[in-house]
């Protein structure tokens, strides 16, 4: 059995997605290629990377059946083309509720084979002044438990955006080496809580956290916070992109992971 390398390069793609599916896929493809050229072996796209509608229900006509559709074909092709592990942000998947979709993250291995799926469980709701959001209008909460998959460097936990506020969700994954979080945090909530919550999840789970975000002003008037980031198990920021399209990139350092857990074995000290 081949030895696992100590470093594994990962990247979080940041987009400012529009209402045009073809444009969004093309722009994502360019960024994936750039990140792969920079050495990224695992790449994460943001939530809604394929489409940011003008209203909640605009995404319904784009929903795909599991296993087929242009968005899923794009993701599989990109993983295969670049020989990467690709965490496909989120895309709308069909279910038996005609008025709502699953907001789903699909994971593809370097052969283009889908190896994991997670449907967003926690649905964002926010109401303050002129700013109001209710994801439950068009999204059905996932019925699956927290999902993980095995990458070459270790175990990866899947989460989406608002999940970040629920620490018990991440504990239920068990011990993981990396948490990935595609997101579209609003400017209001992101400026207040994004980095604090991400660093907390990294510190308390003693793992890397890779968060890919929407980052800018969208056609629908919404402004997203951005700050796609890689955070290490001590809570230190490895790389961050504040705003605009691009990516944050860095290494999963298995020696760093081991050293943090050995010097402060909090995971072993848990009593409940």
């Amino acid at each position: 059995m081949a030895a696992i390398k100590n470093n594994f390069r990962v990247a979080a793609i940041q987009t400012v997605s529009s209402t045009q599916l073809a444009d969004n896929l093309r722009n994502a493809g360019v960024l994936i290629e750039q990140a792969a050229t920079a050495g990224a072996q695992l790449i994460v796209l943001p939530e809604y990377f394929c489409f940011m509608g003008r209203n909640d229900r605009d995404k319904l006509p784009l929903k795909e059946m599991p296993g087929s559709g242009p968005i899923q074909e794009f993701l599989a092709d990109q993983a295969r083309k670049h020989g990467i592990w690709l965490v496909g942000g989120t895309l709308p998947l069909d279910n038996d509720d005609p008025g709502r979709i699953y907001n789903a993250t699909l994971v593809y291995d370097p052969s283009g084979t889908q190896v994991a799926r997670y449907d967003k469980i926690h649905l964002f709701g926010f109401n303050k002044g002129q700013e109001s959001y209710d994801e439950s209008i068009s999204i059905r909460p996932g019925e699956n438990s927290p999902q993980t998959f095995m990458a070459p460097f270790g175990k990866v936990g899947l989460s989406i955006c608002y999940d970040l506020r629920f620490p018990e969700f991440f504990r239920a994954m068990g011990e993981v080496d990396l948490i990935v979080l595609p997101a579209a945090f609003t400017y209001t909530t992101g400026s207040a809580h994004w980095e604090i919550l991400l660093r907390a999840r990294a510190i308390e789970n003693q793992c890397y956290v890779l968060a890919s975000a929407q980052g800018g002003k969208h056609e629908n008037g919404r402004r997203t916070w951005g700050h796609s980031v890689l955070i290490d198990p001590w809570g230190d920021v490895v790389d961050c992109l504040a705003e605009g399209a691009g990516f944050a990139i860095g290494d999963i350092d298995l020696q760093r992971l081991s050293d943090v857990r050995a010097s402060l074995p909090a995971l072993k000290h848990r009593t409940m």
Side-chain angles (χ1 to χ4, degrees), residues 43-244:
I43 295 174
V44 183
L45 290 163
E47 187 178 28
Y48 304 131
F49 85 96
C50 55
F51 185 76
M52 287 280 279
R54 296 186 184 279
N55 62 64
D56 290 318
R57 291 192 169 87
D58 277 359
K59 62 177 76 68
L60 295 180
L62 297 178
K63 64 186 176 182
E64 298 184 354
M65 295 297 295
S68 65
I71 304 171
Q72 292 170 82
E73 290 172 6
F74 166 81
L75 294 171
D77 288 346
Q78 289 292 311
R80 189 183 308 112
K81 175 183 177 181
H82 298 291
I84 57 170
W85 293 80
L86 182 60
V87 180
T90 68
L91 70 155
L93 287 187
D94 201 6
N95 60 77
D96 58 10
D97 183 340
R100 295 192 294 175
I101 52 93
Y102 283 132
N103 192 23
T105 291
L106 304 181
V107 182
Y108 296 84
D109 71 12
S111 73
T113 301
Q114 183 187 319
V115 295
R117 170 181 169 178
Y118 165 63
D119 301 334
K120 188 176 185 181
I121 291 174
H122 300 103
L123 303 185
F124 181 55
F126 181 75
N127 195 336
K128 185 178 182 181
Q130 299 295 314
E131 198 173 6
S132 180
Y133 304 96
D134 183 0
E135 288 189 325
S136 66
I137 291 173
S138 59
I139 297 174
R140 178 175 177 173
E143 299 169 3
N144 50 0
S145 57
Q147 299 295 302
T148 63
F149 69 95
M150 291 302 299
F153 59 86
K155 187 178 177 183
V156 182
L158 298 173
S159 61
I160 302 171
C161 201
Y162 194 47
D163 289 333
L164 183 59
R165 295 183 180 273
F166 302 89
E168 67 277 9
F169 173 83
F170 298 91
R171 286 297 200 200
M173 295 176 178
E175 187 173 305
V176 294
D177 301 297
L178 172 68
I179 289 168
V180 295
L181 184 108
F185 255 58
T186 69
Y187 189 91
T188 301
T189 59
S191 60
H193 302 145
W194 173 252
E195 183 175 316
I196 294 169
L197 291 170
L198 287 169
R199 293 181 70 193
R201 299 296 86 83
I203 293 166
E204 68 199 11
N205 292 290
Q206 296 191 313
C207 68
Y208 282 87
V209 171
L210 183 65
S212 53
Q214 296 282 347
K217 191 70 178 288
H218 302 267
E219 287 178 71
N220 60 10
R222 180 174 177 176
R223 186 179 179 189
T224 46
W225 175 240
H227 292 78
S228 295
V229 66
L230 175 64
I231 299 172
D232 82 1
W234 194 248
D236 292 334
V237 173
V238 177
D239 192 27
C240 180
L241 175 64
E243 195 169 25

Side-chain angles (χ1 to χ4, degrees), residues 6 153 175-177 206-208 232-234 252-268:
N6 276 340
F153 59 86
E175 187 173 305
V176 294
D177 301 297
Q206 296 191 313
C207 68
Y208 282 87
D232 82 1
W234 194 248
I252 303 297
D253 184 336
L254 295 181
Q255 188 60 55
R256 172 70 164 164
L257 195 66
S258 177
D259 289 347
V260 167
R261 291 174 175 176
S263 62
L264 181 62
L267 295 176
K268 293 180 179 179

